[in-house]
């Protein structure tokens, strides 16, 4: 790597990403899109089941049940599509932010292939109906051991890719001791750093309980402790999904819209706060758990409110950046400027619509976090309604939008029918409005999540209109997903290439204030990381000690007959 | 909102953004205060550790689940969830209007959910643990309790009903 020229003092000089790095990023996106394609086939099957059209009997004997389909949908869309897209996208933001190749390209390739092996290992038992345990896999539901081992490898692979980014940062830092970390690279590093802490919970859960148990080495599990471990990871997982979208919203979208990043300092502050606050609040997923004291649930509820703050910062900074961009383009009026944004650009439209639905997702999330208010919606369809606005729209629709410049950049080919990308984004938006609203309303009426409501005997007549809307929204979303995959595939497989000199540019927004003027404490790792560790110890330490000291592996033995 | 011409390190927070930050913090404090008052002054509470049990060998009141009257109008109700029959035991319960019922729910096998419709009773049912919440029924009617956690092929059919009758 010593032969590569460095960018010097943070000014933009030309830098060519090597062909092999492009291919490496492309491999991530390919796996991600394949996962999304398969996972999205099952979405409408769940939704149609709600509205009384059960297609699962026609899938026998290949796919056995609604729950197997739900497991495939959740694992592929929420875990695989996201993780592969994110690691691929951050490979790009690291390389392009630092204007240098990865420090140890082999390390990142090892990480990638570890994830692929893990994915295949987990996929086999899922497809064989040996792991229909949904993506939360709460014991004592017991999956085949390969499912747990595969998930572990996916996580370990993502760690390794993260190390690759950290080493690249260190090499860059040595050459640039006084330069502020380029924002898009910083965002990736911050996310991957948070991820290292976040995944400790699930790693301990699988390695100390689920894996040895599924191999028959220990007699049982402690289901309550397993839940605590799981949600240690489960909530920061949503920030692992969300922060890459934020990197784009802060660091790229303003450029695409014709403007600049409104506040470099506050953008960085938001990311530091996410590292600090993402992990120590997992009990807000366990408000109704019997084995966690109400006092600790309350503390985590308050901490959850505090992590809402950096998202409020994001809302302001991103909207302010977009408003300036729109006014530069001649936009006028208090709200009217919105029309001056480049709505004819599918990549921009997708991310704008993702952001709009995310506002509702945020408000719903605040409801979920609200301690006793949560009793009204816990384990109801409100919750999947909520996270289809967050992970399935704010994140997924943003990733789709990113794909609309990323895939042409990787392949050197023009985006296939750019107008279709705009239509695809709007279709997702409309489908999700219908689907998600119906799911929220059903949740308030008491409909349980994870349940094929089309066959549940207790469903009252008053739910039926909303159940129909779930099916309708699901159908529109399915059409939109097909359009996305089609556009991306046609782009990659067409013969036409972009002419020399007309290659796609990676959109990187300048910030209004020179990043060198951003205070130094917003570019220092040690205090934030120490703070994160301390806060985790305070917020989780006592309960972890208590629950581990009182562990009862006899209480969670696998059922003698497999329940699915 | 002019471009900055500063030459020194500074946080540069726009006046509008400063106000937005103030509003955000105030809003979050108001929300936190509301749930705090509701939880600790008005008694809208979430479950807390009650008791550990052996799911393979439930003893005491669990050997005969159902309603126990402690004093007139005050009941303990023991309910067991099961994922081989996908039923709650008991499946039907009747109490007079005005009753205060403490729900104690556990599982003999895997996890379940317990949500009593149209009330704030909503609990995760974890083998080895007892989930408890209390509710006072001021209105006559039928309240379904449904399983809200995936527990196998029979999950969608798993429910029971509590009927509140005139005294």
């Amino acid at each position: 790597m010593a032969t590569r020229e460095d960018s010097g003092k943070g000014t933009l000089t030309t830098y060519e990403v090597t062909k092999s790095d492009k291919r490496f990023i492309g491999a991530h996106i390919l796996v991600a899109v394949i996962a999304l394609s398969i996972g999205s086939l099952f979405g409408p099957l769940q939704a149609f089941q709600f509205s009384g059209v059960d297609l699962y009997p026609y899938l026998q004997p290949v796919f056995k049940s609604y729950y197997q389909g739900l497991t495939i949908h959740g694992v592929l869309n929420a875990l695989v599509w996201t993780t592969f897209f994110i690691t691929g996208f951050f490979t790009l933001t690291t390389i392009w932010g630092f204007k240098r190749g990865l420090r140890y390209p082999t390390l990142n390739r090892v990480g990638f292939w570890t994830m692929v092996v893990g994915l295949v290992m987990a996929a086999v038992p899922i497809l064989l109906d040996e792991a229909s345990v949904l993506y939360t896999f709460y014991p004592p539901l017991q999956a085949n051991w390969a499912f747990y081992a595969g998930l572990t490898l996916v996580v370990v692979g993502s760690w390794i890719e993260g190390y690759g980014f950290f080493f690249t940062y260190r090499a860059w830092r040595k050459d640039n001791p006084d330069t502020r970390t380029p924002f898009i690279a910083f965002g990736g590093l911050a996310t991957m750093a948070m991820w290292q802490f976040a995944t400790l919970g699930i790693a301990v859960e699988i390695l100390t309980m689920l894996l040895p148990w599924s191999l028959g080495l220990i007699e049982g599990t402690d289901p309550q402790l397993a839940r605590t471990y799981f949600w240690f990871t489960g909530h920061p997982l949503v920030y692992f999904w969300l922060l890459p979208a934020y990197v784009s919203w802060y660091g790229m979208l303003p450029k695409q819209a014709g403007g600049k990043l409104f506040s470099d300092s506050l953008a960085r502050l938001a990311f530091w706060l996410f590292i600090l606050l993402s992990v120590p609040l997992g009990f807000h997923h366990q408000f109704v758990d019997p084995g966690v004291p109400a006092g600790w649930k309350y503390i985590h509820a308050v901490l959850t409110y505090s992590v809402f703050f950096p998202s409020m910062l994001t809302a302001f900074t991103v909207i302010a950046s977009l408003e300036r961009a729109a006014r530069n383009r001649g936009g006028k009026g208090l709200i009217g400027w919105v029309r001056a944004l480049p709505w004819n650009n599918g990549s921009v439209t997708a991310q704008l619509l993702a952001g709009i639905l995310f506002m509702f997702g945020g408000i719903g999330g605040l409801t979920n976090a609200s301690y006793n208010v949560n009793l009204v919606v816990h384990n109801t369809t409100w919750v999947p309604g909520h996270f289809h606005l967050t992970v399935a729209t704010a994140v997924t629709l943003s990733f789709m939008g990113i794909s609309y410049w990323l895939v042409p950049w990787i392949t050197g080919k023009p985006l296939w029918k750019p107008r279709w990308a705009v239509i695809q984004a709007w279709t997702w938006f409309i489908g999700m409005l219908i689907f998600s609203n119906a799911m929220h309303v059903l949740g308030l009426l008491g409909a349980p999540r994870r349940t094929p409501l089309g066959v549940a005997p207790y469903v009252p007549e008053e739910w039926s209109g909303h159940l129909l809307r779930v099916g309708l929204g699901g159908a529109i979303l399915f059409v939109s997903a097909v359009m996305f995959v089609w556009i991306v595939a046609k782009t990659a497989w067409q013969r036409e290439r972009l002419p020399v000199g007309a290659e796609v540019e990676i959109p990187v927004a300048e910030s209004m204030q020179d990043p060198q003027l951003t205070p130094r404490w917003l570019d220092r790792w040690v205090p934030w990381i120490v703070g994160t560790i301390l806060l985790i110890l305070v917020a989780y330490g006592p309960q972890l000690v208590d629950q581990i000291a009182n562990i009862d592996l006899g209480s969670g033995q696998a059922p003698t007959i497999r329940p699915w | 909102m002019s471009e900055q011409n500063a030459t020194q390190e500074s946080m540069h927070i726009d006046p509008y953004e400063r106000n937005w930050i103030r509003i955000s913090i105030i809003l979050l404090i108001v929300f936190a205060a509301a749930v705090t008052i509701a939880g600790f002054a008005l008694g809208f509470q979430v479950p807390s550790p009650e008791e550990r049990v052996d799911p393979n060998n439930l003893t005491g009141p669990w050997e005969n689940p159902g309603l126990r009257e402690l004093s007139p109008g005050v009941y303990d109700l023991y309910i067991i969830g099961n994922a081989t029959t996908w039923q709650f035991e008991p499946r039907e319960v009747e109490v007079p209007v005005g009753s205060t019922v403490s729900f104690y729910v556990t599982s003999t096998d895997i996890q379940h959910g317990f949500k009593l419709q149209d009330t704030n009773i909503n609990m995760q049912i974890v083998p080895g643990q007892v989930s408890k919440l209390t509710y006072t029924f001021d209105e006559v009617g039928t309240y379904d309790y449904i399983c809200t956690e995936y527990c196998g092929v029979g999950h969608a059919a798993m429910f029971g009903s509590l009927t509140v009758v005139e005294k």
Side-chain angles (χ1 to χ4, degrees):
Chain A
M1 294 303 111
T3 54
R4 285 219 171 93
E5 270 307 304
D6 201 68
S7 69
K9 295 291 157 216
T11 49
L12 294 173
T13 53
T14 45
Y15 171 81
E16 277 286 322
V17 178
T18 62
K19 270 211 164 116
S20 89
D21 282 348
K22 277 191 179 178
R23 260 202 302 271
F24 183 53
I25 296 165
H28 287 83
I29 308 303
L30 179 67
V31 177
V33 172
I34 291 173
L36 183 75
S37 322
I38 301 170
S40 299
L41 293 175
F42 291 86
L45 297 183
Q46 327 292 336
F48 293 164
Q49 207 285 345
F50 275 35
S51 41
V53 181
D54 190 356
L55 298 177
Y56 276 101
Y58 302 101
L59 299 176
Q60 297 281 0
V62 184
F63 296 106
K64 301 289 195 299
S65 70
Y66 176 91
Y67 303 106
Q68 188 188 11
L70 189 55
T71 304
I72 296 172
H73 181 68
V75 169
L76 288 184
N77 285 14
L79 303 179
V80 180
W81 146 254
T82 52
T83 305
F84 278 84
F85 193 95
I86 290 164
T87 45
F89 180 57
F90 283 161
T91 305
L92 174 72
T93 61
T94 303
I95 292 175
W96 194 251
F98 292 133
K99 297 283 190 289
R100 65 194 291 155
L102 294 168
R103 178 72 185 84
Y104 301 113
T106 315
L107 185 67
N108 282 70
R109 278 160 180 76
V110 168
F112 173 75
W113 285 106
T114 307
M115 295 202 302
V116 171
V117 170
L119 168 59
V120 172
M121 262 185 99
V124 171
I126 293 175
L127 293 174
L128 294 176
D129 198 31
E130 295 286 326
S132 297
V133 292
L134 309 188
Y135 68 168
T136 45
F137 48 88
Y138 295 139
L141 276 178
Q142 190 183 51
N144 184 287
W145 66 271
F147 172 77
Y148 304 114
L151 287 184
T152 308
L153 289 179
V154 172
V155 170
V156 169
S158 70
W159 286 350
I160 296 173
E161 291 232 49
Y163 304 148
F165 305 148
F166 302 147
F167 283 123
T168 309
Y169 167 69
R170 209 173 60 174
W172 172 86
R173 178 51 88 197
K174 235 175 106 186
D175 296 342
N176 302 274
D178 296 317
T179 311
R180 294 290 177 272
T181 315
F183 178 76
I184 56 168
F186 165 72
L189 293 169
T191 309
M192 296 311 279
M194 181 277 289
W195 185 234
Q196 307 286 330
F197 291 111
T199 41
L200 291 175
I202 214 171
V204 171
E205 182 195 6
I206 292 182
L207 295 178
T208 66
M209 270 201 272
L210 302 185
L211 193 56
W213 170 59
S214 62
L215 288 167
L217 302 175
I218 54 174
E219 59 158 339
T221 60
D222 186 317
Q224 181 62 68
L225 178 58
R227 290 177 62 85
T228 300
Y229 286 148
F230 182 86
W231 287 112
F232 183 101
T233 301
H235 193 72
L237 175 63
V238 311
Y239 298 111
F240 177 65
W241 297 330
L242 192 59
L243 293 184
Y246 279 16
V247 170
S248 178
W249 295 358
Y250 275 120
M252 296 176 151
L253 185 59
K255 169 81 175 178
Q256 292 177 282
K260 294 180 175 179
L261 169 58
F262 189 75
S263 174
D264 182 79
S265 312
L266 288 173
R268 286 173 204 260
L269 179 63
F271 274 82
W272 287 120
L273 289 175
F274 277 117
I275 295 187
L276 188 69
L277 296 169
S278 284
V279 179
L281 35 76
F283 286 147
H284 80 247
H285 286 259
Q286 297 175 264
F287 282 149
V288 306
D289 274 24
V292 181
W296 282 106
K297 292 171 178 174
Y298 175 74
I299 290 167
H300 281 221
V302 173
L303 283 164
T304 311
Y305 282 134
S306 67
V307 82
F308 200 71
F309 177 66
S311 280
M312 298 285 271
L313 285 181
T314 303
F316 186 94
T317 303
V318 171
I319 293 173
S321 307
L322 291 171
E323 180 180 348
R324 283 186 62 91
R327 292 197 189 283
N328 286 343
R329 303 166 61 94
K332 297 221 165 14
L334 189 63
I335 301 291
W337 57 266
V338 171
R339 277 178 304 180
L341 290 166
W343 290 97
N344 58 349
N345 176 330
S347 174
V348 172
T349 301
Q351 297 185 67
L352 294 174
L353 295 177
I356 291 169
L357 284 191
F358 186 53
M359 290 183 210
F360 297 104
I363 294 165
L366 206 55
T367 313
N368 301 340
S370 294
Y371 194 60
N372 31 30
V373 180
N374 174 277
L375 291 169
V376 180
V377 296
H378 199 96
N379 281 348
T380 69
T381 55
W382 167 286
V383 178
H386 161 71
F387 66 64
H388 277 81
L389 292 178
T390 55
V391 67
T393 302
V395 175
T396 294
L397 188 52
S398 291
F399 288 2
M400 288 169 167
I402 292 167
S403 304
Y404 289 145
W405 62 260
L406 181 58
V407 174
W409 176 79
I410 292 169
T411 57
K413 296 172 181 179
L415 182 64
W416 184 79
K417 300 212 172 159
R419 268 188 70 83
W420 280 94
V422 177
I423 296 168
Q424 186 273 328
W426 278 105
T427 324
W428 193 271
F429 178 78
I430 292 163
M432 195 55 84
L433 265 183
I434 297 170
F435 170 85
S436 163
N437 176 266
M439 293 285 278
H440 277 87
V441 173
L442 279 167
L444 289 176
L445 294 173
R449 71 184 285 197
R450 316 189 129 177
T451 306
L453 292 170
V455 295
Y458 46 72
V459 172
E461 185 52 37
E462 92 176 288
W463 296 3
S464 55
H466 304 299
L467 291 168
L468 269 175
R469 287 198 298 138
V470 169
L472 175 64
I476 297 173
L477 286 165
F478 179 66
V479 170
S480 185
V482 170
M483 283 168 71
F484 167 71
V485 174
W486 188 253
I487 293 167
V488 168
K490 288 294 271 187
T491 299
W493 284 327
Q494 67 189 333
R495 281 163 185 273
E496 195 183 336
R497 303 193 71 85
L498 286 162
V500 178
E503 289 90 354
V504 173
E505 256 182 72
I506 299 172
V508 179
E510 283 176 62
S511 66
M512 281 174 48
Q513 179 180 270
D514 180 0
Q516 280 308 104
L517 300 175
T518 294
R520 193 169 286 264
W521 57 272
L522 287 173
D523 203 17
R524 286 226 174 96
W525 285 85
V526 175
W528 294 102
I529 297 296
V530 171
T532 303
I533 295 170
L534 288 178
L535 194 56
I536 292 173
L537 287 175
V538 170
Y540 259 116
Q543 263 303 294
L544 279 176
V545 168
D546 188 60
Q547 290 190 27
I548 294 170
N550 292 301
I551 192 169
D552 176 9
L553 292 178
S555 62
Q557 292 171 3
T560 42
I561 304 165
R562 199 178 68 178
W564 70 81
Chain B
M1 295 225 277
S2 63
E3 300 267 347
Q4 282 283 299
N5 295 314
T7 49
Q8 285 191 325
E9 284 182 17
S10 71
M11 204 45 198
H12 171 51
I13 303 182
D14 186 272
Y16 283 109
E17 183 144 32
R18 210 174 282 279
N19 284 334
W20 174 257
I21 289 172
R22 287 198 190 103
I23 292 168
S24 303
I25 291 173
I26 291 168
L27 206 59
L28 293 173
I29 290 173
V30 168
F31 289 155
V35 297
T36 307
I37 293 166
F40 299 92
L42 305 177
F44 291 99
Q45 266 303 350
V46 299
S48 220
E50 177 64 24
E51 185 188 356
R52 304 279 294 257
V53 289
D54 178 359
N56 308 305
N57 182 26
L58 292 173
T59 55
W62 300 107
E63 289 174 49
N64 184 22
L67 210 55
R68 308 256 189 302
E69 187 166 17
L70 304 183
S71 60
V74 179
Y75 297 90
D76 280 351
L77 174 55
Y78 291 84
I79 296 179
I80 299 175
N82 180 294
T84 38
T85 57
W86 289 286
Q87 281 180 0
F88 288 114
E89 188 188 354
R91 292 174 69 185
E92 285 176 7
V93 182
E94 198 179 285
V95 294
V97 68
S99 301
T100 297
V101 181
S102 291
F103 295 82
Y104 295 81
V105 190
T106 194
S107 164
T108 53
D109 37 51
I110 60 179
Q111 296 191 31
H112 300 279
F114 183 89
K115 183 177 189 317
L116 188 66
Q117 300 293 43
D118 304 325
T119 71
N120 287 333
I121 305 287
N122 190 345
M123 304 187 286
Q124 189 79 21
I125 309 308
V126 180
Q129 304 272 351
V130 175
S131 304
K132 181 200 168 191
L133 278 178
T134 303
Y135 192 80
T136 301
F137 293 90
D138 292 324
E139 281 179 41
V140 172
T142 301
Y143 300 75
D144 286 342
Y145 40 95
I146 58 179
C147 179
T148 52
E149 183 61 79
Y150 166 55
C151 58
V153 285
H155 161 57
M158 184 166 169
F159 83 113
S161 7
L162 180 142
T163 310
V164 179
V165 296
E166 294 285 356
K167 272 185 199 167

